[in-house]
Amino acid sequence: MAKKNIVLIGFMGCGKTTVGKELAKKLNFYFLDIDYMIQKEENKSIEKIFEIFGEDYFRALEKEACYKVSNFKNYVISTGGGVIKDEENIINLKRNGVIVYLKATPQKIYENLKYDNKRPLLKDKDKFKTICDLLKQREDLYIKYADIVFDIEDNSPFVLAKNIKMIYNVYYNKK
Ligand code: S3P
């Protein structure tokens, strides 16, 4: 039976991919990571795409990917943290999808990303400050576009996936 997708949005390092994989397993859905899809299609890492072509080019690829997946069903889709910067992405993702925001504090995000060097937007910057600034710019959009919000703070990816599945089954488990 064709079922609505679950689309995970949220800041870098909030665990969208980890939770998404777990959730897909639990629901017996396919899993798709938009950044991974872009990397495969371009045959380059996200860092390289930013480095060679710049952010605008990456955003165009991201937009195209959101359009492509808008017809899918029975998917858990993990998005990049900046997907909310373009409303058209959300319109497409909502077409067949329930949007779930994984909400995290800057402290938690910093904790998860302090040793990471794969995020071009945080590279060679004061990481904590950049996280705070970007989150401040984006938080309202995450909230505005979300159908459901989950606080990641005290929950493991496993528990989060279990809770998301429960809500999805009660409210959205229809054609
Ligand atoms: C970005 C987040 C990244 C990736 C790119 C830009 C952002 O994805 O799409 O580096 O603008 O927040 P993750 O949220 O998976 O780190």
Side-chain angles (χ1 to χ4, degrees), residues 21 27 36 66 73 82 84-85 102-103 135 142:
K21 283 183 177 164
L27 284 166
Y36 181 77
C66 291
K73 297 247 169 80
I84 40 80
K85 286 172 57 144
L102 300 183
K103 184 173 161 45
L135 189 59
Y142 290 130

Side-chain angles (χ1 to χ4, degrees), residues 19-127:
V19 173
K21 283 183 177 164
E22 189 60 44
L23 183 59
K25 239 194 283 169
K26 286 190 190 307
L27 284 166
N28 211 11
F29 274 22
Y30 304 102
F31 175 75
L32 185 143
D33 182 314
I34 288 196
D35 278 348
Y36 181 77
M37 179 177 163
I38 293 171
Q39 295 183 95
K40 281 275 144 216
E41 283 178 4
E42 293 291 295
N43 200 20
K44 282 183 190 63
S45 68
I46 299 292
E47 295 157 271
K48 275 277 163 231
I49 297 172
F50 267 73
E51 196 183 306
I52 301 172
F53 304 111
E55 182 174 351
D56 289 352
Y57 181 81
F58 170 77
R59 295 297 171 202
L61 296 175
E62 188 175 48
K63 187 168 183 157
E64 197 182 306
C66 291
Y67 174 71
K68 276 189 196 155
V69 306
S70 66
N71 285 322
F72 292 5
K73 297 247 169 80
N74 300 60
Y75 269 80
V76 174
I77 298 169
S78 167
T79 61
V83 78
I84 40 80
K85 286 172 57 144
D86 188 330
E87 192 175 10
E88 220 175 295
N89 293 342
I90 301 296
I91 293 170
N92 281 324
L93 293 167
K94 270 193 194 257
R95 205 180 309 283
N96 283 319
V98 181
I99 311 275
V100 176
Y101 171 35
L102 300 183
K103 184 173 161 45
T105 60
Q107 288 76 10
K108 178 78 178 178
I109 292 165
Y110 179 73
E111 196 54 40
N112 290 348
L113 293 181
K114 64 182 169 198
Y115 302 118
D116 176 90
N117 51 17
K118 292 204 171 73
R119 300 327 202 267
L121 296 179
L122 303 178
K123 217 171 172 169
D124 305 323
K125 304 226 171 84
D126 176 335
K127 217 177 238 178

